[in-house]
Amino acid sequence: ACRQLGYPSAISAPSRATFGQGSGFILMDDVACSGTETRLLSCSYRSSHNCRHSEDAGAQCQDVRLSGGSSPWEGRVEIFHGQWGTVCDDSWSINDARVVCRQLGRTAYASRSLAYFGYGGGPIWLDNIAC
């Protein structure tokens, strides 16, 4: 689902209508993707179902990452918007770092600026963040 929407990957696949129940016809049941598909309809599935909307599937797509750090828990903040780009550190603070880390399921302990983790490539997608 994330790749079909233009994101590079998924962070998680919550189930049981985590984001709320849908309504109307249920098209797919027992969906089984290998992870290489570019469209959800390319996965195997059954069109007859025994589901209720309380079982609606969800997806959390990856649109932020940390790069250039010495571990997966630190690095330059990069945003995906059709391609990976960076976030300018103007006004960057620990509060902004906390939001990014919370989005990645982590806790922020410090905030770095002035290309501490090296210069990124691609466009600068965000500037003057103020969380």
Side-chain angles (χ1 to χ4, degrees):
C2 292
R3 194 170 291 126
Q4 185 172 342
L5 293 170
Y7 292 98
S9 63
I11 297 170
S12 68
S15 59
R16 302 208 178 272
T18 298
F19 300 110
Q21 295 185 23
S23 61
F25 183 72
I26 296 173
L27 175 65
M28 304 170 81
D29 190 10
D30 298 327
V31 178
C33 300
S34 68
T36 59
E37 299 86 355
T38 56
R39 296 178 43 81
L40 195 57
L41 289 173
S42 298
C43 302
S44 66
Y45 65 93
R46 289 184 324 127
S47 54
S48 62
H49 69 87
N50 59 354
C51 294
R52 296 180 180 268
H53 285 292
S54 60
E55 300 175 72
D56 286 348
Q60 272 189 297
C61 303
Q62 180 181 353
D63 62 352
V64 64
R65 70 182 180 187
L66 301 176
S67 296
S70 60
S71 77
W73 320 115
E74 65 178 15
R76 176 182 55 257
V77 178
E78 296 184 344
I79 302 291
F80 188 81
H81 185 67
Q83 73 180 73
W84 288 103
T86 58
V87 175
C88 186
D89 66 4
D90 292 347
S91 305
W92 188 256
S93 72
I94 187 64
N95 290 333
D96 307 314
R98 284 183 181 122
V99 172
V100 169
C101 290
R102 189 176 307 121
Q103 186 173 347
L104 294 170
R106 301 173 182 154
T107 302
Y109 296 101
S111 171
R112 303 282 188 235
S113 58
L114 302 174
Y116 183 87
F117 296 104
Y119 293 98
I124 298 172
W125 287 124
L126 297 173
D127 191 7
N128 296 310
I129 304 295
C131 296

